[in-house]
Amino acid sequence: MIIKAIFLKNRALFTLLLVFLLQSCGGSKKSSDNSRGELIGAAKRKSWKMTIPFGMVNIPPGTFHMGQGDEDVPYTQINFNKQITIGGFYMDETEITNNEYRQFVEDIKRQEEENTSTETAEETETNVVEEFALEDILPDTMVWVRDFSYHWGDPIMRYYWFHPAYDDYPVVGVSWEKSQYFCKWRTKHLNKYRESLDQPVLPNFRLPSEAEWEYAARGGRDMAKYPWGNPYIRNTRGCMLANFKPGRGNYYDDGYAYTCPVGAFFANDFGLYEMSGNVAEWCQDAYNPSSVPLVWDLNPVYYNDNEKRKIVRGGSWKDIAYYCETGTRSFDYKDSARSSIGFRCAMTHLGRSSGSEF
């Protein structure tokens, strides 16, 4: 009671003393610089921790021999072995499915409808839809009849993109250019949400480089001929290890006449599904038969905006085993759409190249 009485009697004195102590420890209220003249870095920076986007898996950094996993004399001069290093990145565990791509299409459609009803041009300027219109991104369903001569592709053409029975199948009929549009949209779609939570943005989604794709396809098995290793296309029980054409006219030996649902076959050691077969996949690089000796040996990628041919990797449901090999190079034209080509996205890892973050 005595202490309480003393405190109440000298409240003003205690208040002045507290203010003095706070100012002496924290500095003047008029100054926002608490560094005391030392180099301590900019204040109020947001913390950062790299997070794995939904549906992606971590691909750890490493060194491998890029190129042929087996001898192929005609193609030796465009695909000889070269040791390179790849930094850490993330990759979709499966190819982009019809339903995932449909989310993209429906979002652009919604934005177009909103823009149509918008009265002020100022509001329209900030919308993603300005970059690409709906007719520019829809899959080309005609590929199922156009790609093959005298083939009854009408049922697949009619149902593959529209029917829910194929929601978990890889999207096809998408050109290299359309896959680039998807990556731009996916980046803005995710980072818009992160910004609403006052979180730092993640790196852009993009197509993997050719080197990244091959490194990921091998799953840590250097010089492996296939994602599952060497050298066979069947397991010990005689089951096919990928969805492709093992012989002339033999499409159903793996259980699927055309494409298969993503994740139907075993993943490789990195946790990636169908890196061989099902659908071939677009890569970021332009095609050049001499690109291997031209590019650097650390995170190589060959850019050439004037080259219309773009790298395609992995083989598809209609290809023979050679195109399913991890080291086989192929290409198609960037504005072409095929019933056998899809894609998956990649994202660069920011921060430490190895350690507990992986």
Side-chain angles (χ1 to χ4, degrees), residues 215-227:
Y215 173 70
R218 295 180 188 269
R221 298 171 181 251
D222 195 19
M223 303 298 292
K225 185 176 181 178
Y226 299 108

Side-chain angles (χ1 to χ4, degrees), residues 59-350:
I59 310 298
T63 299
F64 81 113
H65 289 84
M66 184 176 178
Q68 294 178 143
D70 198 4
E71 183 180 5
D72 186 77
V73 176
Y75 284 84
T76 298
Q77 300 306 311
I78 71 166
N79 203 19
F80 56 83
N81 294 113
K82 179 179 181 179
Q83 182 172 272
I84 63 171
T85 295
I86 298 293
F89 66 102
Y90 301 119
M91 179 179 273
D92 285 327
E93 62 180 351
T94 68
E95 295 136 345
I96 297 299
T97 65
N98 280 322
N99 209 33
E100 289 171 334
Y101 196 85
R102 186 173 290 106
Q103 182 183 356
F104 165 48
V105 171
E106 290 182 352
D107 192 46
I108 299 303
K109 181 180 179 181
R110 176 188 59 78
Q111 292 181 42
E112 282 193 347
E113 292 172 350
E114 290 177 355
N115 285 350
T116 302
S117 60
T118 300
E119 296 181 358
T120 61
E122 184 178 350
E123 294 179 10
T124 307
E125 288 177 0
T126 60
N127 212 307
V128 181
V129 75
E130 281 195 333
E131 296 187 16
F132 30 82
L134 186 62
E135 60 267 21
D136 297 328
I137 63 173
L138 285 170
D140 184 359
T141 59
M142 292 297 294
V143 293
W144 292 106
V145 295
R146 190 175 60 240
D147 283 357
F148 315 105
S149 300
Y150 303 104
H151 165 249
W152 190 40
D154 290 20
I156 306 297
M157 175 195 70
R158 179 174 298 182
Y159 297 112
Y160 189 82
W161 163 246
F162 296 103
H163 201 280
Y166 293 99
D167 276 357
D168 293 330
Y169 285 64
V171 66
V172 297
V174 175
S175 65
W176 182 87
E177 294 169 328
K178 291 180 180 180
S179 66
Q180 297 281 12
Y181 295 153
F182 178 90
C183 292
K184 290 181 180 179
W185 167 83
R186 188 177 178 185
T187 299
K188 292 187 176 183
H189 183 67
L190 175 59
N191 283 332
K192 182 179 179 181
Y193 172 74
R194 291 181 61 86
E195 288 173 341
S196 70
L197 300 178
D198 198 30
Q199 297 177 352
V201 297
L202 287 175
N204 292 345
F205 290 99
R206 55 180 174 78
L207 294 178
S209 69
E210 181 181 16
E212 285 178 329
W213 191 97
E214 183 173 329
Y215 173 70
R218 295 180 188 269
R221 298 171 181 251
D222 195 19
M223 303 298 292
K225 185 176 181 178
Y226 299 108
W228 52 84
N230 292 320
Y232 306 109
I233 59 176
R234 298 176 185 268
N235 62 18
T236 55
R237 297 184 177 182
C239 300
M240 301 293 291
L241 293 167
N243 178 17
F244 66 100
K245 183 175 72 170
R248 183 181 294 274
N250 184 5
Y251 293 89
Y252 192 69
D253 209 10
D254 50 55
Y256 302 93
Y258 294 95
T259 58
C260 67
V262 297
F265 292 85
F266 290 113
N268 71 0
D269 291 346
F270 282 161
L272 300 170
Y273 295 88
E274 281 89 47
M275 291 299 284
S276 285
N278 208 16
V279 292
E281 301 173 14
W282 290 113
C283 292
Q284 189 68 44
D285 302 55
Y287 175 74
N288 184 336
S290 302
S291 62
V292 176
L294 290 177
V295 296
W296 201 26
D297 55 1
L298 172 62
N299 289 324
V301 60
Y302 181 76
Y303 289 115
N304 186 346
D305 293 337
N306 296 322
E307 176 56 71
K308 295 182 180 180
R309 297 174 297 176
K310 303 299 180 181
I311 290 292
V312 175
R313 286 298 203 110
S316 75
W317 59 271
K318 72 172 188 61
D319 293 320
I320 59 175
Y322 167 74
Y323 291 100
C324 296
E325 294 181 15
T326 56
T328 299
R329 305 183 73 209
S330 185
F331 69 86
D332 210 321
Y333 290 87
K334 66 178 184 179
D335 57 353
S336 298
R338 305 292 182 193
S339 61
S340 56
I341 301 178
F343 69 100
R344 70 180 80 205
C345 300
M347 174 188 283
T348 302
H349 172 87
L350 301 183

